[in-house]
Amino acid sequence: MTNHYLAYLYRLQYIERWSLMRSTTPENVAEHSYHVALIAHALGSIAREIFKRDVNPDEAVTYALFHDATEVFTGDIPTPVKHHNPQILANFREIEALAAERLLATVPDELQETYRPLLDRKPVNPDLEKILKAADLLDAYLKCISEISAGNREFATARRQSEEKLRNLNMPEVEWFLQHLAPSFERTIDELSEDEQRNK
């Protein structure tokens, strides 16, 4: 029997994000998942090494890679649509659960218990769940910074809203990330290189 789950996951590259926004740089769900994994690893490492919390960055990466896997069936629903009212959000969560079941059914039987928690997005560690949410929000925030830095004001409100949500998380690792890592995203490649030279 042929199992299709990886072939489906590879198709995340065809699901475009930010469909209601005019972007200078298009982004797909596969790229977003990679970025969220990078950020989740950074947040997990900050939480563990700087704030001495019991978080496994490698586990954070694994969950992050699969956090939007069901979008291969549902597509990417823009946040303003998804969160327009509680009923729409509840309906979408139900659709997500059905999509997760469908995707899990394409995984080989011997591997299903490995992938079930990843597709259900249910980490055992509550700190890990918060880190995943924060990483997802941070990727949106960094996308907004990049677009605004390219002169695209379309993302100005989204940046403000993302930053507010991040501050409301009250997570020290997020504050550390915003202070030490996020500012680099507002700089050009030449400015980054100049900074490197100055810091030598």
Side-chain angles (χ1 to χ4, degrees), residues 42-53:
L43 290 177
S45 299
I46 294 164
R48 184 177 67 182
E49 305 301 333
I50 297 174
F51 297 104
K52 308 305 178 188
R53 297 227 312 282

Side-chain angles (χ1 to χ4, degrees), residues 23-133:
S23 299
T24 61
T25 306
E27 180 186 48
N28 63 57
V29 176
E31 291 169 324
H32 167 67
S33 298
Y34 170 69
H35 294 153
V36 172
L38 287 178
I39 296 167
H41 191 275
L43 290 177
S45 299
I46 294 164
R48 184 177 67 182
E49 305 301 333
I50 297 174
F51 297 104
K52 308 305 178 188
R53 297 227 312 282
D54 183 21
V55 175
N56 183 342
D58 298 336
E59 193 177 0
V61 169
T62 303
Y63 275 97
L65 284 173
F66 288 88
H67 84 285
D68 276 342
T70 56
E71 290 187 6
V72 76
F73 296 133
T74 67
D76 177 59
I77 309 297
T79 297
V81 175
K82 196 180 342 184
H83 293 272
H84 179 68
N85 66 47
Q87 186 62 50
I88 289 176
L89 185 58
N91 289 343
F92 181 72
R93 294 296 181 226
E94 187 177 344
I95 291 168
E96 271 186 329
L98 293 170
E101 286 178 22
R102 179 181 171 191
L103 190 53
L104 185 63
T106 69
V107 174
D109 292 343
E110 300 86 347
L111 302 178
Q112 286 197 1
E113 291 313 304
T114 297
Y115 285 93
R116 186 184 307 280
L118 300 175
L119 297 178
D120 287 343
R121 298 188 299 182
K122 300 219 186 299
V124 175
N125 185 336
D127 275 347
L128 195 57
E129 195 165 0
K130 290 178 185 174
I131 281 173
L132 290 173
K133 179 178 181 181

